[in-house]
Amino acid sequence: MSDTRYISFDLLEKFMEDTFVKLGTPREQAKIISDVLIMSDKLGIDSHGVGRFKPIYVDRINAGILNPVTKIDIIKESPTTAILDANDGMGHVVSKRAMEIAIEKAKTYGMGMVTVKNSSHYGFAGYYPLMASKEGMIGITGTNARPSIAPTFGVENMLGSNPLTFAIPTDEEFDFLLDCATSTSQRGKIEKYDRENKSLPEGWVIDDEGNVRTDTKQVLIDLTKGKAALTPLGGVGEELAGYKGYGYATVVEILSSALHLGPFMKALTDMDENGNKKPYKLGHFFMAINVENFVEIDKFRKQTGDILRELRASKKAPGENRIYTAGEKEYLTYQYRKDKGVPMNDVLIKQINELNDKYSLGYSF
């Protein structure tokens, strides 16, 4: 877009860190949150990076429904499992700790799984499985979220966009990373379309009468009012297998809530029964699987890489000159952006300039 400017990763990361500190977040926790957010932009997942900094984190802290200080309690623990309570703190902080614990357990016992309750939006889901893949492990995470997805043959938003995310070590320059919502699209991408003043593709959203919606700005309003819903991965009905996305979204909902008996679906909103603002109280789960407990890591990396290379070398469709594997586009985006920074339009630049002025941070954008 013509109004796009690139701002360096380091500058934006430090700006976000300093803003969180101004809001009362301890410096070490602010570093974690900012690292998760900027990693999303580095890899081209613009729906979950600096674009969500103000509306999802700063505004919620100021509204009193998100605790800027994350106090982590261990509720229950075994040699291979644990339940953590985030006490309505920052999802990024507790999630990093949860995956660290899962990795520590996997190093000793081969596998580790940790669930988290009373948390909040944890940002770019792929960040946490990548922690495991860097240690020679398979990493898995999922999270529930505020109601967005309508079940197959339904029109009411019941399930969150509920990503199910995997990272697997390879012998290539980048690990396999599959980070997908279980909806056709998700709210963060719709927010991005709104910032760019674009209409939505048909099939992403339906209203409460089953009609297709493409009016981006009103869709964002209606999603919060229950008058619109995201379609499950695969789309409306069964012809394009929307029931599969619906099913996987349900799996993530169960694993993100029932393993610690936390809130689920309609309970995951920011309003209580009296209409007062409240924390979202999201749940997450994290798994680490130690490859060395199965086969030698170098041999595993090689075979995983061979699978990916054979996929990319397979016959292309007419008019197509390249096949990608999961994680490749993110790697290529980083190679392009590492010397340029984050692409930001006027809407985002205005947002961060207003925060810069409000908190007297002294940055120049």
Side-chain angles (χ1 to χ4, degrees), residues 47-103:
S47 57
H48 281 64
V50 68
R52 287 200 142 181
F53 172 58
K54 179 183 183 295
I56 302 296
Y57 309 110
V58 175
D59 289 354
R60 290 180 183 178
I61 290 172
N62 286 327
I65 62 171
L66 180 57
N67 193 338
V69 181
T70 307
K71 179 179 179 292
I72 302 171
D73 294 321
I74 298 177
I75 303 302
K76 187 175 183 179
E77 189 170 18
S78 79
T80 58
T81 64
I83 300 174
L84 306 184
D85 190 333
N87 294 290
D88 302 321
M90 305 298 293
H92 323 70
V93 177
V94 70
S95 295
K96 184 175 183 183
R97 183 60 191 137
M99 185 53 91
E100 287 172 346
I101 293 172
I103 291 168

Side-chain angles (χ1 to χ4, degrees), residues 79 97 99-109 137 288:
R97 183 60 191 137
M99 185 53 91
E100 287 172 346
I101 293 172
I103 291 168
E104 289 165 8
K105 292 178 180 297
K107 285 180 178 178
T108 303
Y109 299 103
M137 300 184 187

Side-chain angles (χ1 to χ4, degrees), residues 183-252:
S183 50
T184 302
S185 187
Q186 36 81 11
R187 196 185 302 255
K189 285 190 177 179
I190 297 174
E191 291 167 355
K192 185 173 184 290
Y193 270 65
D194 182 45
R195 291 194 297 271
E196 296 171 354
N197 198 29
K198 293 165 59 176
S199 296
L200 300 178
E202 291 189 5
W204 283 18
V205 178
I206 55 172
D207 67 15
D208 54 3
E209 295 183 352
N211 301 308
V212 172
R213 294 280 299 275
T214 61
D215 49 326
T216 310
K217 193 172 294 295
Q218 189 61 40
V219 159
L220 286 170
I221 296 170
D222 289 348
L223 281 171
T224 63
K225 294 181 176 181
K227 295 182 178 180
L230 302 178
T231 59
L233 189 62
V236 175
E238 291 188 330
E239 289 185 0
L240 294 177
Y243 63 90
K244 295 182 181 179
Y246 166 40
Y248 283 122
T250 307
V251 168
V252 174

Side-chain angles (χ1 to χ4, degrees), residues 15-16 44 83 101 147 151 165 171 211 215 240 251 295-296 301 324 329 333 361:
F15 167 75
M16 290 189 288
I83 300 174
I101 293 172
T165 304
D171 65 348
N211 301 308
D215 49 326
L240 294 177
V251 168
V295 295
E296 294 175 24
R301 288 182 184 276
Y324 295 90
K329 284 188 175 182
T333 298
L361 295 169

Side-chain angles (χ1 to χ4, degrees), residues 228-347:
L230 302 178
T231 59
L233 189 62
V236 175
E238 291 188 330
E239 289 185 0
L240 294 177
Y243 63 90
K244 295 182 181 179
Y246 166 40
Y248 283 122
T250 307
V251 168
V252 174
E253 192 75 37
I254 293 167
L255 295 180
S256 297
S257 63
L259 283 175
H260 54 70
L261 303 182
F264 57 90
M265 294 198 303
K266 290 291 189 179
L268 300 173
T269 69
D270 63 344
M271 290 287 182
D272 64 20
E273 60 275 9
N274 298 314
N276 300 313
K277 285 275 190 178
K278 70 174 183 66
Y280 282 93
K281 296 187 179 295
L282 305 185
H284 325 300
F285 65 90
F286 306 85
M287 298 178 67
I289 302 169
N290 193 342
V291 170
E292 286 280 3
N293 283 63
F294 295 88
V295 295
E296 294 175 24
I297 183 61
D298 288 344
K299 292 180 180 179
F300 177 88
R301 288 182 184 276
K302 171 68 165 54
Q303 183 152 328
T304 302
D306 287 344
I307 291 168
L308 302 179
R309 285 184 285 271
E310 286 191 30
L311 286 169
R312 293 198 293 267
S314 63
K315 186 176 180 179
K316 282 86 178 163
E320 301 295 338
N321 58 17
R322 188 164 187 171
I323 292 172
Y324 295 90
T325 52
E328 183 180 9
K329 284 188 175 182
E330 289 81 358
Y331 171 76
L332 294 173
T333 298
Y334 175 68
Q335 296 305 308
Y336 176 75
R337 289 187 177 182
K338 63 183 181 180
D339 297 321
K340 294 173 67 70
V342 180
M344 299 182 64
N345 65 14
D346 289 344
V347 174

